Amino acid sequence: MKTNTIAKWVALALGVSCSVAQSQELVLNGDFSTQSLAESETTVVADHWLFSGTGQAGILNPAPHHYSNESEVNNIAFAGANSVISQDLGAPLDLNSNYRVRVKLGWRENADAFNYKIGLRIDNHTIDITPATQLTKGAFTQLDIEFKPDATHQYLADLNSNLVLTLENNDTQVSFIDFDDVSVTISAKNLDSDQDHMPDSWELSHGLNPSDPLDASTDLDSDGVTNLNEFLAGTDPTNAASFPHIFNHQFTGNVEIESALRLVPQNTAPMVCNTEHEGSMYYNSVERLVFVCDGNIWNEFRGLQGEAGVAGPQGIQGPQGIQGISGETGPVGPQGDIGLTGPQGPQGVQGIPGTSHWRDGASAVSTNVKVGVGTVSPSAALEVIGNAIANDPIESNHLVTKSYSDAQYTELKQKYDHLLAMVSTLNKDVYPSDGLNCADVLANNPNAQSGLYQIDADGPGGNVAVEYFCDMQNIDASRPIVPADTTGSNNNIALVYSNGLQLNNYSASGNVSPFSPAGAFDGHVYYTDPNTKINPDAGNIVTKGIWLAPTNSNQWLQVDFGRKTVVTGFKTQVSTQHAEFSPRTPREVIFQVSNDGVNFVDHEQIVMDKGTAQVTLNRAAFGTHFRLHVTNTHGSSDYVQIDEMEYFGFFVQPDPQEPVDTQISNCQTILAENPQSTSGFYQIDPDGTGDIAPFTTFCDMELKGGGWTLVGIRYVPNKPYDHINNFDVLFTEVNNITSFDDNYHLPDTHWQYLKSNSQELMMNMRNVGVYAIADIAALQNANCTPLVDTLGRVPNKTGEEQFRLFWQEVSGCSAVGTDYSMLNYHNIYNYDPSIYKDTNITSTAFEQTNFIYVR
């Protein structure tokens, strides 16, 4: 029997009311169809839209070779590498509203498409709202992004500047990404000041405090149900007779509702499954599945499996695999026929007669000298013609039988083999080894896994074996290991302030103030736990000791070790309070790896335990940057939290960067003579037979056409700077630049020759994709400080001016306002864009490693 009371509860559960404000569209001309363009025609003119670069972004009428459904596609917007499409949305950021961004992204059939970025910019600050969505070649992909600003965005709202939507192709390679049907809608959101999941208006109407998050777990009417659960169920928290029963236990009538639907969002079934409850259903909010009772057990409620879909298009061809090991040598072929006997050679010269002859069967030997049979000290050899028959020896100089000689040889060989085996065993005990190299290890065991091995390059008995990390998927990536400082019982290598790690080595996709990404690596859990310090080697708590992200999905926490690192596993931990109540711990994660901090690849997908989770990777990860990408939590709808994260592994020797042996004048000439040249260290000789000796520096062969010659590096991470008392640490003059690990710059003689014989100067912050290019002639005519003759400190200058390479200002030379551009020590200013011929810096780029090139 199902009563009308049950029916009312079901209706309440399915119809919980909520107020949804009318949404408002902010984007104008989001479909790009106002232009009349012929097929394959482009334009850079559009109402309301701005396009960066010259011809790198604009509007296109696609052709059939762009998209298979070209006839259904009207005009679209496009962006080439490092180009941005933007529109002023005409309103500042409103923390009391939610924003929904919808846009279609296209990948042309005949072009490459790599990385894209979606953002909301306020002045010089950009909120990255890019989803983790892959593009499909030859088609458009619909993106639907929801952005909910919170208290961490207050400083952006205080700027009171209009929001600007940015659609960006943030790749440096030649590629195109297309956009269509762009919209941004804004709608009001219910305020929840104390973030306890109960709206302020509901709390006020029932006598609760909107500023107290603890009242969510109290019970106002003492009916056994918390205030939060009463809100979620739609009952009255001030009335003890009003509470969220799942089913009434006493019937108030005999009204029967056949096949009533029971949806109960809880972690366990609402009752035992038996014949009385056959046909009952409920929704499990943790597993996000509907279950139905068959009279015995609860089963997942689902229909028959549908037919297989049409096969998708074939993916692009992957890179060629590594060459396999050589096969075994085949069996020896049958012996050939004996060849014909050659002609008899000429007769040789007759030899000197011997001193004695012994012929088989003779009764005596006739000689007048001592010969070698039975003589202690023979004075002449004995020539034996026939067989010499002998007994076993009595003296050391006696003739012996063949059988005796063979037995002696066999015994001697056995002794030698035994001695050799003893030496080999001794070598393995004293000099343990797994092989001559990693390829040798893999050849001896094709199933060998990536990991640590003892490599003895010169074999037993030579130098002691060296511990290697052997990457069995990429043997060329194998490297000797470098000892690391390890802390705690898990041998953690990522503790802040160990192994050269500083606060800026840690970053995250988002963060709730006053917590920080570095807090998750300080060896402490949440500061209210009784035992906050869980790593005995840790120092003080960093910003309360945790990382807290503002949403529960698609957030990431990252560490940059600054050198080649092998990670074999990791551990995460959350305080007991936050692991059990509204669990914020990561559940489904993707472990990602990068060598440059920009381009990450998925290494392994992992389902993690709640609270404390220790993970051993199926295969070791190899790179410099490691990222934990959280796709969902164990239950929280608002936050993802990690109090402590540890990495286990070790460091390896870096890749060798040997200069290419060439003495061409500059990097542009190298690229012109060999367009296949790759970026790397080269030896150049700019003035040929002049006074400047050949030297080594780095050539960038990709960015903006390539052919750039590196002349200086400013602001290297992890270098201890003293900006006040010691300016000399900011500049290190060298004749050769062979690495990026210090503030290297070329001598004045080299710099003055290169700037006099080059046309362009480029500043490039590689780690963040920022660049600025200017004609050297324009910089030499800069009105405040023309391009100086040194890459070090400018002589006879004080303060900031001693660091400036050039300085252009429209009015005066005060470096205030927004009418100047300059290169300071590690800041690139662009308030006067006329000085640059190509740049993606809108105002300023600061405190990143800056590489200075000429071309």
Side-chain angles (χ1 to χ4, degrees):
M1 292 291 291
K2 290 92 175 173
T3 67
N4 57 354
T5 303
I6 297 175
K8 290 179 181 178
W9 188 90
V10 173
L12 179 62
L14 295 175
V16 176
S17 63
C18 62
S19 59
V20 179
Q22 183 68 29
S23 61
Q24 176 187 354
E25 174 63 61
L26 299 182
V27 168
L28 299 173
N29 291 351
D31 59 1
F32 308 104
S33 60
T34 58
Q35 301 284 347
S36 297
L37 301 176
E39 191 174 274
S40 296
E41 184 181 358
T42 64
T43 181
V44 294
V45 177
D47 294 337
H48 312 294
W49 292 96
L50 296 177
F51 306 108
S52 72
T54 303
Q56 293 296 310
I59 298 177
L60 164 71
N61 184 347
H65 63 273
H66 293 146
Y67 295 99
S68 57
N69 63 337
E70 175 269 343
S71 60
E72 304 170 13
V73 181
N74 206 322
N75 293 351
I76 58 176
F78 69 90
N82 271 324
S83 296
V84 181
I85 300 171
S86 61
Q87 183 178 140
D88 190 324
L89 300 181
L93 178 66
D94 182 6
L95 298 187
N96 296 321
S97 298
N98 292 330
Y99 295 82
R100 182 175 295 277
V101 179
R102 291 176 57 85
V103 57
K104 292 180 180 178
L105 265 65
W107 179 355
R108 304 179 196 173
E109 286 279 8
N110 66 331
D112 287 329
F114 298 102
N115 299 320
Y116 66 89
K117 185 177 291 185
I118 313 295
L120 295 172
R121 190 177 71 236
I122 304 172
D123 286 348
N124 301 324
H125 310 277
T126 299
I127 305 171
D128 188 352
I129 58 173
T130 308
T133 302
Q134 299 293 325
L135 302 182
T136 302
K137 191 167 188 177
F140 277 87
T141 300
Q142 178 70 58
L143 301 187
D144 192 342
I145 310 163
E146 186 174 10
F147 168 59
K148 298 179 179 180
D150 53 34
T152 64
H153 301 101
Q154 182 66 55
Y155 75 102
L156 297 175
D158 293 342
L159 295 175
N160 201 33
S161 298
N162 284 354
L163 281 169
V164 175
L165 174 66
T166 59
L167 310 174
E168 180 178 354
N169 178 347
N170 64 332
D171 224 78
T172 58
Q173 305 177 62
V174 177
S175 65
F176 287 94
I177 293 178
D178 298 329
F179 307 91
D180 201 9
D181 295 338
V182 186
S183 70
V184 178
T185 55
I186 179 174
S187 58
K189 64 180 179 182
N190 288 328
L191 289 179
D192 183 5
S193 300
D194 53 11
Q195 298 185 2
D196 59 359
H197 311 297
M198 300 186 298
D200 293 354
S201 57
W202 190 86
E203 290 199 56
L204 290 171
S205 66
H206 292 93
L208 298 173
N209 185 355
S211 301
D212 181 10
L214 299 179
D215 59 10
S217 58
T218 61
D219 183 5
L220 197 61
D221 55 8
S222 302
D223 59 0
V225 182
T226 65
N227 300 327
L228 175 59
N229 286 335
E230 297 241 25
F231 164 70
L232 296 175
T235 55
D236 186 352
T238 63
N239 182 357
S242 173
F243 58 90
H245 288 296
I246 298 174
F247 300 101
N248 281 345
H249 299 291
Q250 295 181 350
F251 298 133
T252 57
N254 59 359
V255 178
E256 179 174 324
I257 302 175
E258 294 296 338
S259 302
L261 181 66
R262 301 172 178 173
L263 297 179
V264 184
Q266 60 183 38
N267 293 341
T268 57
M271 61 185 66
V272 292
C273 176
N274 53 37
T275 54
E276 179 183 355
H277 305 122
E278 182 177 359
S280 299
M281 304 173 70
Y282 83 100
Y283 174 70
N284 188 310
S285 63
V286 174
E287 298 187 28
R288 299 182 179 178
L289 296 173
V290 175
F291 291 85
V292 61
C293 174
D294 64 0
N296 184 24
I297 60 174
W298 293 100
N299 296 304
E300 181 185 347
F301 182 66
R302 59 182 177 182
L304 298 176
Q305 182 173 353
E307 297 179 358
V310 179
Q314 182 176 353
I316 59 177
Q317 184 175 355
Q320 182 177 353
I322 60 176
Q323 184 176 353
I325 59 177
S326 300
E328 297 180 355
T329 304
V332 178
Q335 184 174 355
D337 297 333
I338 299 175
L340 299 175
T341 303
Q344 183 175 353
Q347 183 174 355
V349 179
Q350 183 174 357
I352 300 173
T355 59
S356 179
H357 293 272
W358 177 10
R359 293 190 178 275
D360 195 15
S363 60
V365 175
S366 176
T367 181
N368 58 1
V369 295
K370 294 180 179 180
V371 296
V373 178
T375 302
V376 176
S377 301
S379 60
L382 172 65
E383 178 186 4
V384 178
I385 302 172
N387 295 318
I389 307 301
N391 293 319
D392 288 343
I394 299 174
E395 299 294 339
S396 60
N397 58 351
H398 284 188
L399 286 175
V400 298
T401 62
K402 181 178 184 302
S403 61
Y404 179 86
S405 176
D406 291 346
Q408 290 295 100
Y409 171 79
T410 300
E411 181 181 356
L412 181 62
K413 186 175 185 307
Q414 289 175 344
K415 291 180 179 180
Y416 172 78
D417 290 342
H418 179 67
L419 179 61
L420 191 63
M422 292 177 61
V423 171
S424 178
T425 302
L426 181 62
N427 274 329
K428 289 182 179 179
D429 291 339
V430 178
Y431 306 107
S433 168
D434 295 305
L436 299 176
N437 49 52
C438 293
D440 181 39
V441 175
L442 186 61
N444 292 327
N445 180 12
N447 297 318
Q449 301 296 309
S450 298
L452 295 179
Y453 293 88
Q454 296 292 331
I455 300 301
D456 191 355
D458 58 359
N463 294 324
V464 177
V466 176
E467 194 167 24
Y468 261 67
F469 166 69
C470 291
D471 189 329
M472 297 310 185
Q473 281 71 40
N474 180 10
I475 289 294
D476 292 337
S478 302
R479 296 284 186 275
I481 73 164
V482 177
D485 293 333
T486 57
T487 64
S489 59
N490 296 314
N491 294 325
N492 176 21
I493 64 171
L495 183 70
V496 67
Y497 303 125
S498 70
N499 294 311
L501 295 169
Q502 303 296 317
L503 299 181
N504 61 358
N505 287 87
Y506 310 96
S507 57
S509 53
N511 190 69
V512 176
S513 178
F515 309 104
S516 73
F521 295 88
D522 66 351
H524 297 260
V525 294
Y526 195 59
Y527 59 92
T528 58
D529 262 25
N531 299 312
T532 61
K533 191 171 184 178
I534 59 175
N535 189 325
D537 300 303
N540 295 328
I541 294 177
V542 175
T543 57
K544 298 192 176 181
I546 74 170
W547 169 62
L548 184 66
T551 62
N552 71 330
S553 63
N554 290 324
Q555 297 287 343
W556 51 261
L557 177 63
Q558 176 179 317
V559 58
D560 171 14
F561 283 101
R563 50 179 162 166
K564 291 290 187 180
T565 307
V566 175
V567 171
T568 58
F570 59 90
K571 178 181 179 181
T572 62
Q573 188 167 338
V574 173
S575 65
T576 304
Q577 173 186 357
H578 295 102
E580 299 299 330
F581 176 73
S582 185
R584 300 173 179 175
T585 50
R587 182 173 182 270
E588 295 179 318
V589 302
I590 303 173
F591 191 65
Q592 300 174 316
V593 186
S594 172
N595 284 321
D596 57 12
V598 178
N599 301 294
F600 282 82
V601 296
D602 293 350
H603 181 80
E604 187 173 334
Q605 293 188 352
I606 302 164
V607 178
M608 300 179 63
D609 295 333
K610 183 170 68 172
T612 299
Q614 185 153 340
V615 175
T616 299
L617 297 175
N618 290 326
R619 62 182 178 87
F622 181 43
T624 57
H625 298 70
F626 299 87
R627 176 181 289 184
L628 191 71
H629 186 113
V630 182
T631 57
N632 57 52
T633 65
H634 276 279
S636 171
S637 60
D638 296 294
Y639 300 105
V640 57
Q641 178 173 332
I642 295 179
D643 290 32
E644 171 66 2
M645 184 160 189
E646 300 182 348
Y647 280 104
F648 320 132
F650 44 87
F651 303 116
V652 296
Q653 289 184 0
D655 297 323
Q657 291 185 308
E658 296 294 335
V660 176
D661 187 13
T662 180
Q663 293 191 10
I664 300 178
S665 59
N666 54 51
C667 299
Q668 189 173 24
T669 305
I670 295 173
L671 185 61
E673 294 186 359
N674 180 14
Q676 305 303 317
S677 299
T678 59
S679 297
F681 292 92
Y682 291 79
Q683 189 178 69
I684 62 175
D685 188 4
D687 65 345
T689 59
D691 296 332
I692 299 177
F695 63 91
T696 298
T697 189
F698 183 80
C699 294
D700 188 316
M701 299 304 192
E702 286 89 23
L703 186 58
K704 291 297 176 179
W708 297 98
T709 301
L710 180 67
V711 296
I713 309 169
R714 292 186 172 187
Y715 196 68
V716 175
N718 303 324
K719 181 177 175 63
Y721 292 105
D722 185 349
H723 290 214
I724 299 176
N725 300 315
N726 182 11
F727 293 115
D728 292 334
V729 301
L730 302 178
F731 302 99
T732 302
E733 181 178 301
V734 292
N735 289 320
N736 298 279
I737 300 177
T738 57
S739 71
F740 301 149
D741 57 5
D742 205 342
N743 298 299
Y744 297 129
H745 68 84
L746 295 178
D748 293 348
T749 53
H750 298 49
W751 163 237
Q752 292 165 18
Y753 183 88
L754 286 169
K755 78 183 182 74
S756 299
N757 292 274
S758 302
Q759 285 72 50
E760 296 174 307
L761 182 138
M762 178 176 70
M763 295 144 284
N764 176 22
M765 293 181 173
R766 299 169 47 172
N767 292 339
V768 292
V770 168
Y771 71 91
I773 302 174
D775 286 329
I776 289 179
L779 299 180
Q780 289 180 323
N781 292 322
N783 59 357
C784 294
T785 300
L787 193 61
V788 298
D789 286 336
T790 181
L791 293 166
R793 291 173 63 188
V794 181
N796 303 319
K797 296 289 185 180
T798 59
E800 294 291 324
E801 291 191 45
Q802 63 188 310
F803 306 131
R804 290 175 183 160
L805 201 62
F806 65 87
W807 177 8
Q808 165 73 23
E809 192 158 353
V810 174
S811 175
C813 290
S814 59
V816 297
T818 57
D819 67 339
Y820 68 92
S821 291
M822 68 173 68
L823 174 61
N824 208 355
Y825 175 61
H826 54 284
N827 299 339
I828 307 172
Y829 296 91
N830 182 22
Y831 295 123
D832 174 21
S834 65
I835 200 71
Y836 300 119
K837 62 186 295 185
D838 185 10
T839 181
N840 62 359
I841 303 171
T842 56
S843 57
T844 180
F846 56 93
E847 293 190 355
Q848 297 287 339
T849 303
N850 187 14
F851 299 83
I852 305 172
Y853 297 89
V854 294
R855 180 172 69 180

